[in-house]
Amino acid sequence: HDEQIKNPVVKHYEFAKEAPRDRLLEDLERSALLQAAGPRIKPMILMAMWTGMRQGEILQLRWSDVDFQKHVINIRKETTKDTQARMVPLFRDPKKPGINLEKMLFQMWVERIGPAVVGNAAGERAWWTSYYRPAFNKALRLSGVKDFTFRDLRHTFVADHIMAGTDLKTIATYVGHES
């Protein structure tokens, strides 16, 4: 037989190609979101906004991955989407240079109770859906920020660094894109 096998799903579903999101936090939204964020979700928001790390990378981050002497976060290959390890500098907020991720992380390290950088009350890794999503949704609701996802924090990181003059190849390296 020389007949081509057709995918039976195709005739039942039309797969729409969505345009990529380009939703960024405006300055007032950024302030409002951080003000509304409780202690459970605020470190995750700041880490995503200031490092461009993916949600899963932050959730799997251990204290042994944070190198305060070299001022970097080591993202292990088994925690990345593309299985490529990388290092992300511990940045200051490009919009507010006095606010420093490294200081915040160091304070969290001093108070740590377990191996996870962001974790539950026992210091263990917590899951997004049951532990963090409700806190993130509450922060969005209280801040009045609409049509915004956690992934949009990565887009905000990229836009901040483009506006600050960081070259695109460096930004791509930070966020784990090869090109």
Side-chain angles (χ1 to χ4, degrees):
H1 272 141
D2 204 21
E3 290 181 31
Q4 286 190 348
I5 298 174
K6 294 185 180 180
N7 185 341
V9 175
V10 172
K11 66 181 174 184
H12 295 289
Y13 298 99
E14 282 192 33
F15 296 100
K17 290 192 177 185
E18 294 181 27
R21 286 179 62 88
D22 62 353
R23 175 71 163 92
L24 308 173
L25 278 179
E26 302 293 332
D27 288 342
L28 290 175
E29 289 179 317
R30 182 186 311 241
S31 297
L33 181 61
L34 291 174
Q35 185 88 26
R40 176 182 298 181
I41 195 66
K42 190 172 188 172
M44 280 197 67
I45 292 171
L46 290 172
M47 288 182 67
M49 195 183 315
W50 294 350
T51 66
M53 289 173 66
R54 294 176 177 96
Q55 181 187 98
E57 294 167 345
I58 296 170
L59 288 171
Q60 295 180 70
L61 192 64
R62 298 185 297 222
W63 284 113
S64 57
D65 300 325
V66 181
D67 188 333
F68 289 109
Q69 291 182 334
K70 293 182 181 174
H71 313 286
V72 296
I73 295 172
N74 295 297
I75 302 174
R76 292 170 279 120
K77 68 180 181 178
E78 61 271 15
T79 67
T80 66
K81 182 178 171 181
D82 60 1
T83 66
Q84 295 292 317
R86 69 181 190 278
M87 290 189 300
V88 177
L90 290 169
F91 287 109
R92 296 177 183 272
D93 181 352
K95 299 272 185 175
K96 297 178 183 168
I99 299 175
N100 186 328
L101 176 62
E102 187 168 16
K103 286 180 186 176
M104 180 196 78
L105 280 175
F106 187 75
Q107 184 61 40
M108 289 171 61
W109 179 79
V110 168
E111 299 168 358
R112 75 191 180 283
I113 53 175
V117 173
V118 293
N120 61 21
E124 300 162 341
R125 179 179 175 204
W127 299 100
W128 175 256
T129 51
S130 60
Y131 193 75
Y132 290 107
R133 184 185 303 166
F136 185 67
N137 289 341
K138 181 179 180 182
L140 290 173
R141 189 174 56 258
L142 292 174
S143 66
V145 174
K146 305 275 189 235
D147 186 36
F148 196 79
T149 66
F150 193 85
R151 181 167 169 50
D152 294 331
L153 294 167
R154 273 173 63 85
H155 303 162
T156 299
F157 168 84
V158 169
D160 286 349
H161 281 272
I162 289 171
M163 289 186 273
T166 307
D167 67 278
L168 295 178
K169 185 174 173 106
T170 300
I171 295 169
T173 301
Y174 292 157
V175 296
H177 288 246
E178 290 187 27
S179 57

